[in-house]
Amino acid sequence: MKKKSILAITVSVLLILAAVAAGLNAVYTVLSVTTRFSVRSDAGREECRILQERLDGYSGKSILFLDLKDICAEVEKFPCLKVEEVKKNYPRTVELRVSERLERYAVERTDAEGKVFYSVLDADGIYLYDREKNENRLDGAPNILLNGFGEMVFAAGERTSGAYVEELLASVAGFRDGDVNVRLNLVSVTFEKGASDSSTTKFTFRMQEGTRIEVNNLTALVAEKTEAAFQRYLTLEDEDKMFGVVTVNDDKLSGGFNVSYTTLRDLN
Protein backbone atom coordinates (compact mmCIF):
# COMPACT_ATOMS: atom_id res chain seq x y z
CA MET A 1 0.00 0.00 0.00
CA LYS A 2 2.79 2.33 0.95
CA LYS A 3 4.55 1.57 -2.34
CA LYS A 4 1.42 2.54 -4.29
CA SER A 5 1.12 5.79 -2.33
CA ILE A 6 4.77 6.66 -2.96
CA LEU A 7 4.36 5.84 -6.65
CA ALA A 8 1.23 7.98 -6.88
CA ILE A 9 2.96 10.89 -5.17
CA THR A 10 5.99 10.54 -7.42
CA VAL A 11 3.81 10.51 -10.54
CA SER A 12 1.93 13.56 -9.28
CA VAL A 13 5.14 15.45 -8.62
CA LEU A 14 6.47 14.59 -12.07
CA LEU A 15 3.23 15.73 -13.66
CA ILE A 16 3.38 19.00 -11.75
CA LEU A 17 7.00 19.53 -12.74
CA ALA A 18 6.17 18.76 -16.37
CA ALA A 19 3.30 21.24 -16.25
CA VAL A 20 5.55 23.89 -14.72
CA ALA A 21 8.25 23.20 -17.31
CA ALA A 22 5.69 23.44 -20.11
CA GLY A 23 4.40 26.69 -18.68
CA LEU A 24 7.88 28.16 -18.36
CA ASN A 25 8.74 27.05 -21.87
CA ALA A 26 5.64 28.75 -23.20
CA VAL A 27 6.48 32.00 -21.43
CA TYR A 28 10.28 31.91 -21.84
CA THR A 29 10.46 31.08 -25.52
CA VAL A 30 12.57 33.21 -27.85
CA LEU A 31 10.21 35.34 -29.88
CA SER A 32 12.99 37.16 -31.76
CA VAL A 33 16.71 37.88 -31.93
CA THR A 34 16.85 41.65 -32.26
CA THR A 35 20.10 42.77 -33.87
CA ARG A 36 21.51 46.27 -34.27
CA PHE A 37 24.08 46.36 -37.05
CA SER A 38 26.77 48.99 -37.56
CA VAL A 39 28.33 48.39 -40.98
CA ARG A 40 29.68 50.55 -43.79
CA SER A 41 30.37 48.31 -46.77
CA ASP A 42 27.94 46.67 -49.19
CA ALA A 43 29.59 43.33 -48.41
CA GLY A 44 28.99 43.96 -44.72
CA ARG A 45 25.31 44.69 -45.29
CA GLU A 46 24.91 41.46 -47.25
CA GLU A 47 26.64 39.50 -44.50
CA CYS A 48 24.29 41.05 -41.95
CA ARG A 49 21.30 39.97 -44.00
CA ILE A 50 22.53 36.37 -44.10
CA LEU A 51 23.44 36.46 -40.41
CA GLN A 52 20.00 37.69 -39.42
CA GLU A 53 18.38 34.85 -41.35
CA ARG A 54 20.46 32.40 -39.32
CA LEU A 55 19.65 34.15 -36.06
CA ASP A 56 15.94 34.01 -36.85
CA GLY A 57 16.34 30.25 -36.63
CA TYR A 58 16.66 30.59 -32.84
CA SER A 59 13.06 31.75 -32.55
CA GLY A 60 11.00 29.19 -30.68
CA LYS A 61 13.90 27.94 -28.57
CA SER A 62 13.86 28.19 -24.79
CA ILE A 63 15.54 31.38 -23.69
CA LEU A 64 16.32 29.72 -20.34
CA PHE A 65 18.54 27.10 -21.93
CA LEU A 66 19.86 29.16 -24.83
CA ASP A 67 23.64 29.51 -24.67
CA LEU A 68 24.71 32.96 -25.86
CA LYS A 69 27.97 31.42 -27.05
CA ASP A 70 25.96 29.79 -29.83
CA ILE A 71 24.74 33.22 -30.92
CA CYS A 72 28.29 34.56 -30.90
CA ALA A 73 29.45 31.54 -32.89
CA GLU A 74 27.01 32.48 -35.65
CA VAL A 75 28.60 35.93 -35.89
CA GLU A 76 32.12 34.50 -35.89
CA LYS A 77 31.35 32.70 -39.14
CA PHE A 78 31.73 36.13 -40.77
CA PRO A 79 35.35 37.33 -40.25
CA CYS A 80 34.49 41.02 -40.69
CA LEU A 81 31.67 41.02 -38.15
CA LYS A 82 32.15 41.15 -34.40
CA VAL A 83 29.86 41.04 -31.39
CA GLU A 84 29.84 44.26 -29.40
CA GLU A 85 27.14 43.15 -26.98
CA VAL A 86 24.78 40.21 -26.54
CA LYS A 87 22.22 39.64 -23.80
CA LYS A 88 18.95 37.95 -22.96
CA ASN A 89 16.04 40.31 -22.46
CA TYR A 90 13.59 38.15 -20.54
CA PRO A 91 11.19 36.70 -21.11
CA ARG A 92 11.27 36.38 -24.93
CA THR A 93 13.99 38.41 -26.65
CA VAL A 94 17.71 38.12 -27.33
CA GLU A 95 19.40 41.44 -28.08
CA LEU A 96 22.57 41.62 -30.12
CA ARG A 97 24.82 44.47 -31.27
CA VAL A 98 27.17 43.75 -34.17
CA SER A 99 29.75 45.96 -35.88
CA GLU A 100 31.95 45.59 -38.94
CA ARG A 101 35.70 45.13 -38.75
CA LEU A 102 37.13 47.48 -41.36
CA GLU A 103 40.06 46.33 -43.45
CA ARG A 104 43.19 48.43 -43.04
CA TYR A 105 46.41 46.46 -43.64
CA ALA A 106 47.59 43.89 -46.17
CA VAL A 107 50.64 41.65 -46.13
CA GLU A 108 51.86 40.31 -49.46
CA ARG A 109 52.59 36.59 -49.39
CA THR A 110 53.14 33.72 -51.80
CA ASP A 111 51.72 30.22 -51.74
CA ALA A 112 53.58 26.96 -52.42
CA GLU A 113 53.25 27.52 -56.16
CA GLY A 114 54.65 31.04 -55.99
CA LYS A 115 51.30 32.77 -56.52
CA VAL A 116 50.94 36.13 -54.79
CA PHE A 117 48.07 36.74 -52.37
CA TYR A 118 47.35 39.18 -49.55
CA SER A 119 46.54 38.54 -45.91
CA VAL A 120 44.16 41.25 -44.73
CA LEU A 121 44.06 42.75 -41.21
CA ASP A 122 41.76 45.24 -39.55
CA ALA A 123 42.85 48.38 -37.65
CA ASP A 124 43.56 46.32 -34.51
CA GLY A 125 45.72 43.83 -36.39
CA ILE A 126 43.04 41.12 -36.34
CA TYR A 127 43.55 38.67 -39.20
CA LEU A 128 40.43 38.57 -41.37
CA TYR A 129 41.16 36.47 -44.47
CA ASP A 130 43.33 36.10 -47.59
CA ARG A 131 42.52 37.79 -50.88
CA GLU A 132 43.94 37.62 -54.39
CA LYS A 133 44.06 41.41 -54.78
CA ASN A 134 44.89 44.22 -52.38
CA GLU A 135 41.52 45.91 -52.66
CA ASN A 136 39.60 47.14 -49.64
CA ARG A 137 36.04 45.85 -49.64
CA LEU A 138 34.69 49.23 -48.53
CA ASP A 139 35.88 51.36 -51.43
CA GLY A 140 38.13 49.24 -53.66
CA ALA A 141 41.21 51.30 -52.74
CA PRO A 142 44.36 49.48 -51.59
CA ASN A 143 44.95 48.56 -47.96
CA ILE A 144 48.16 49.74 -46.31
CA LEU A 145 50.95 47.37 -47.28
CA LEU A 146 53.18 46.06 -44.50
CA ASN A 147 56.72 45.21 -45.56
CA GLY A 148 59.73 43.70 -43.83
CA PHE A 149 58.02 42.48 -40.67
CA GLY A 150 59.49 38.99 -40.99
CA GLU A 151 57.56 35.91 -40.01
CA MET A 152 54.04 36.93 -39.05
CA VAL A 153 51.53 34.56 -37.47
CA PHE A 154 48.02 34.64 -38.94
CA ALA A 155 45.18 32.97 -37.05
CA ALA A 156 41.49 33.49 -37.81
CA GLY A 157 39.92 36.11 -35.58
CA GLU A 158 43.13 36.73 -33.66
CA ARG A 159 45.58 39.59 -33.50
CA THR A 160 48.51 39.04 -35.83
CA SER A 161 51.88 38.67 -34.17
CA GLY A 162 55.32 39.50 -35.52
CA ALA A 163 58.36 41.68 -34.97
CA TYR A 164 57.30 45.22 -34.02
CA VAL A 165 53.71 44.69 -35.17
CA GLU A 166 52.40 45.96 -31.82
CA GLU A 167 54.54 49.08 -32.15
CA LEU A 168 53.21 49.63 -35.66
CA LEU A 169 49.57 49.38 -34.58
CA ALA A 170 50.14 51.81 -31.73
CA SER A 171 51.91 54.20 -34.08
CA VAL A 172 49.23 54.34 -36.75
CA ALA A 173 46.55 54.66 -34.08
CA GLY A 174 48.10 58.04 -33.29
CA PHE A 175 47.58 59.34 -36.82
CA ARG A 176 44.87 61.98 -36.50
CA ASP A 177 43.53 64.03 -39.37
CA GLY A 178 39.94 64.72 -38.44
CA ASP A 179 37.69 62.00 -39.80
CA VAL A 180 39.91 61.22 -42.78
CA ASN A 181 40.50 57.51 -43.38
CA VAL A 182 44.18 56.82 -42.71
CA ARG A 183 44.31 54.69 -45.87
CA LEU A 184 43.75 57.83 -47.93
CA ASN A 185 47.09 59.14 -46.69
CA LEU A 186 49.24 56.14 -45.91
CA VAL A 187 50.35 53.74 -48.66
CA SER A 188 52.81 51.42 -46.92
CA VAL A 189 54.90 50.84 -43.83
CA THR A 190 58.32 49.18 -43.98
CA PHE A 191 60.14 47.85 -40.94
CA GLU A 192 63.93 47.85 -41.05
CA LYS A 193 65.79 45.81 -38.49
CA GLY A 194 69.01 47.76 -38.74
CA ALA A 195 72.61 46.72 -39.08
CA SER A 196 73.63 46.59 -35.44
CA ASP A 197 71.46 46.63 -32.29
CA SER A 198 67.75 47.26 -31.74
CA SER A 199 68.31 51.01 -31.52
CA THR A 200 68.91 51.04 -35.29
CA THR A 201 65.40 49.78 -36.05
CA LYS A 202 63.22 52.04 -38.21
CA PHE A 203 59.72 52.49 -39.60
CA THR A 204 59.41 54.09 -43.02
CA PHE A 205 55.92 55.37 -43.84
CA ARG A 206 55.20 56.20 -47.47
CA MET A 207 52.41 58.69 -47.90
CA GLN A 208 50.05 59.06 -50.83
CA GLU A 209 51.49 62.33 -52.13
CA GLY A 210 55.07 61.10 -52.06
CA THR A 211 56.24 62.12 -48.60
CA ARG A 212 58.45 59.65 -46.76
CA ILE A 213 58.34 59.55 -42.95
CA GLU A 214 61.26 57.88 -41.19
CA VAL A 215 60.98 57.05 -37.50
CA ASN A 216 64.29 55.87 -36.03
CA ASN A 217 64.90 53.73 -32.94
CA LEU A 218 61.72 51.83 -32.25
CA THR A 219 62.79 50.88 -28.73
CA ALA A 220 61.87 54.28 -27.28
CA LEU A 221 58.78 56.51 -27.56
CA VAL A 222 57.78 55.01 -30.88
CA ALA A 223 54.10 56.01 -30.68
CA GLU A 224 54.97 59.56 -29.61
CA LYS A 225 57.59 59.86 -32.34
CA THR A 226 55.22 58.67 -35.04
CA GLU A 227 52.38 60.91 -33.93
CA ALA A 228 54.72 63.92 -33.95
CA ALA A 229 55.93 62.96 -37.44
CA PHE A 230 52.37 62.63 -38.73
CA GLN A 231 51.44 66.02 -37.29
CA ARG A 232 54.46 67.56 -39.03
CA TYR A 233 53.38 65.93 -42.28
CA LEU A 234 49.89 67.40 -41.95
CA THR A 235 51.32 70.92 -41.67
CA LEU A 236 53.17 70.64 -44.99
CA GLU A 237 51.99 72.49 -48.06
CA ASP A 238 50.71 70.28 -50.87
CA GLU A 239 53.86 70.78 -52.95
CA ASP A 240 56.11 69.98 -49.99
CA LYS A 241 54.20 66.73 -49.46
CA MET A 242 55.21 65.66 -52.96
CA PHE A 243 58.95 65.94 -52.34
CA GLY A 244 59.43 65.85 -48.57
CA VAL A 245 61.08 63.59 -46.04
CA VAL A 246 60.05 63.86 -42.39
CA THR A 247 62.64 62.32 -40.08
CA VAL A 248 62.46 61.57 -36.36
CA ASN A 249 65.70 61.04 -34.46
CA ASP A 250 66.57 60.69 -30.79
CA ASP A 251 67.82 63.76 -28.97
CA LYS A 252 70.42 62.35 -26.63
CA LEU A 253 70.82 65.61 -24.72
CA SER A 254 67.17 65.96 -23.77
CA GLY A 255 66.31 62.28 -23.72
CA GLY A 256 63.49 63.01 -26.15
CA PHE A 257 63.48 63.30 -29.92
CA ASN A 258 63.36 65.87 -32.69
CA VAL A 259 61.39 66.04 -35.92
CA SER A 260 62.89 67.50 -39.06
CA TYR A 261 61.76 68.06 -42.64
CA THR A 262 63.96 67.83 -45.73
CA THR A 263 62.87 68.60 -49.26
CA LEU A 264 64.03 66.48 -52.19
CA ARG A 265 62.56 68.91 -54.69
CA ASP A 266 65.96 69.80 -56.17
CA LEU A 267 66.76 66.13 -56.81
CA ASN A 268 63.73 65.55 -59.03
Side-chain angles (χ1 to χ4, degrees):
M1 193 70 176
K2 288 184 179 181
K3 290 183 178 180
K4 290 183 178 181
S5 298
I6 293 173
L7 180 60
I9 292 172
T10 301
V11 171
S12 298
V13 170
L14 291 175
L15 289 174
I16 292 172
L17 291 175
V20 170
L24 288 174
N25 186 61
V27 174
Y28 293 95
T29 297
V30 176
L31 182 64
S32 66
V33 178
T34 303
T35 314
R36 287 185 294 161
F37 294 107
S38 177
V39 298
R40 294 176 58 186
S41 70
D42 290 340
R45 283 185 278 273
E46 176 61 15
E47 289 171 353
C48 290
R49 184 191 65 78
I50 298 172
L51 171 61
Q52 188 60 60
E53 288 182 352
R54 294 183 178 182
L55 295 176
D56 290 343
Y58 286 83
S59 296
K61 296 183 180 294
S62 171
I63 196 171
L64 295 174
F65 300 105
L66 177 64
D67 191 340
L68 293 180
K69 291 181 179 179
D70 293 337
I71 298 292
C72 293
E74 294 290 351
V75 181
E76 290 170 359
K77 294 175 182 177
F78 301 87
C80 281
L81 300 182
K82 66 176 177 178
V83 176
E84 298 289 353
E85 182 182 23
V86 60
K87 64 181 180 180
K88 296 178 181 180
N89 188 1
Y90 289 99
R92 310 192 71 179
T93 307
V94 175
E95 295 182 356
L96 184 65
R97 188 158 55 90
V98 174
S99 65
E100 182 178 15
R101 297 185 186 275
L102 298 179
E103 299 178 9
R104 175 173 286 183
Y105 305 104
V107 181
E108 184 178 307
R109 304 169 67 192
T110 54
D111 60 19
E113 298 178 352
K115 185 178 180 180
V116 173
F117 66 96
Y118 297 89
S119 293
V120 180
L121 317 176
D122 75 353
D124 296 319
I126 302 296
Y127 169 67
L128 302 177
Y129 37 56
D130 295 332
R131 301 185 69 171
E132 292 184 0
K133 296 181 179 180
N134 181 20
E135 295 179 350
N136 190 285
R137 77 183 203 153
L138 176 63
D139 52 22
N143 290 307
I144 301 167
L145 274 176
L146 304 184
N147 304 308
F149 285 83
E151 292 295 327
M152 302 176 72
V153 179
F154 302 96
E158 295 184 11
R159 193 161 177 148
T160 301
S161 60
Y164 286 89
V165 172
E166 292 294 329
E167 288 81 356
L168 164 72
L169 297 174
S171 297
V172 178
F175 186 10
R176 295 289 182 267
D177 185 15
D179 294 327
V180 173
N181 189 327
V182 66
R183 289 187 301 105
L184 300 180
N185 300 86
L186 183 55
V187 175
S188 67
V189 185
T190 300
F191 167 67
E192 296 180 42
K193 186 176 182 180
S196 54
D197 57 27
S198 57
S199 65
T200 61
T201 50
K202 179 171 72 173
F203 280 152
T204 298
F205 300 86
R206 291 195 175 274
M207 313 306 288
Q208 197 69 247
E209 303 88 345
T211 310
R212 189 170 74 248
I213 296 176
E214 298 180 350
V215 177
N216 293 292
N217 186 11
L218 305 179
T219 64
L221 304 173
V222 59
E224 293 86 345
K225 288 177 178 177
T226 307
E227 183 173 5
F230 283 150
Q231 293 306 314
R232 181 69 180 92
Y233 154 78
L234 293 173
T235 66
L236 298 175
E237 298 294 334
D238 290 344
E239 185 177 353
D240 291 332
K241 287 181 179 179
M242 295 174 62
F243 304 103
V245 179
V246 176
T247 306
V248 184
N249 289 309
D250 291 330
D251 186 335
K252 295 181 179 180
L253 292 178
S254 68
F257 57 87
N258 55 63
V259 182
S260 61
Y261 167 78
T262 304
T263 179
L264 302 179
R265 186 181 292 103
D266 296 337
L267 299 179
N268 288 273

